[in-house]
Amino acid sequence: MADYTFFFNPMSRAQIARWALHEAGANYEPVLVDWDNKPAALLAANPMGKLPTIIHHHQGHDHVVSEAAAVCHYLAEMSAPELLPRDEEKADYFRWMFFAAGPVEAAVTAKANGFDSGGDPRKEMSVGWGSYARVMDALDGWFASYAYVCGDGFTMADVYVGSQVDWGVFFKTFEPRDSLIAYAERIRQREAYQAGKAIDNALIAEMQAAQPG
């Protein structure tokens, strides 16, 4: 049995987890999930049926991890300690990983759905991200000065934060700030990033080719 069972669909945030699995050099069994027919094993592990979900088969026990940011950090803890931050890097590591999982995700999703609190101080105070512009400014300010989340060295936080920036730049949901474009270009050079993308892109091409019409 593989160390990890990986429930995924290539057209989902599971791409983040696949990249993390490859960065960690993890031995995993992929289980492709049909959106209209989710497997019982996935629903038993994660009743919401969300992707990615992994199951770690470890010392006779099964441990379920969902939420992409949690999956990334868990994989580093269990299978790739070299991708964990040094003690002096932990503040930046956790700060920006949770910033990406919270304010970045919320601000981009809200804006895509027609809501932005920018310019209204009362609304900015009531939401957890302030405004889309302030989120972009925060990311821009960091990556204008640092190559990665923890400075000069790549950590597992860059898989999660980097995925957010990579998608935002590619799908134009992020403002085209020079620092963010440069950061996306750096992470795209990672061997594990390219290996994961090759798998998912090939699967997406197969799925699209199989669609009628």
Side-chain angles (χ1 to χ4, degrees), residues 163-180:
S163 292
Q164 295 275 18
V165 174
D166 183 31
W167 290 353
V169 168
F170 182 81
F171 289 109
K172 304 187 187 307
T173 58
F174 275 29
E175 294 177 355
R177 309 281 183 101
D178 289 345
S179 68
L180 303 182

Side-chain angles (χ1 to χ4, degrees), residues 90-100 142:
K90 287 182 178 179
D92 294 333
Y93 178 96
F94 287 111
R95 173 193 177 188
W96 291 107
M97 180 176 279
F98 281 90
F99 183 76
W142 186 259

Side-chain angles (χ1 to χ4, degrees), residues 29-43:
E29 177 186 358
V31 178
L32 177 60
V33 174
D34 183 339
W35 294 119
D36 297 322
N37 186 26
K38 294 180 180 178
L42 168 62
L43 296 175

Side-chain angles (χ1 to χ4, degrees), residues 125-206:
M125 289 176 62
S126 68
V127 299
W129 63 92
S131 72
Y132 173 85
R134 290 170 65 185
V135 167
M136 291 295 107
D137 288 345
L139 288 172
D140 187 16
W142 186 259
F143 290 111
S145 300
Y146 300 100
Y148 297 103
V149 167
C150 292
D152 294 329
F154 183 94
T155 65
M156 190 61 92
D158 290 291
V159 174
Y160 188 75
V161 178
S163 292
Q164 295 275 18
V165 174
D166 183 31
W167 290 353
V169 168
F170 182 81
F171 289 109
K172 304 187 187 307
T173 58
F174 275 29
E175 294 177 355
R177 309 281 183 101
D178 289 345
S179 68
L180 303 182
I181 292 170
Y183 176 53
E185 290 175 348
R186 280 193 294 278
I187 63 170
R188 289 168 187 164
Q189 302 307 309
R190 299 284 300 181
E191 182 178 346
Y193 171 97
Q194 295 174 4
K197 283 290 184 184
I199 294 170
D200 285 322
N201 287 342
L203 287 168
I204 290 170
E206 290 178 13

Side-chain angles (χ1 to χ4, degrees), residues 6 35-36 39 62 72 77 83 151 177 182 211:
F6 169 46
W35 294 119
D36 297 322
D62 287 343
C72 288
E77 286 276 5
L83 293 177
R177 309 281 183 101
Q211 291 179 353

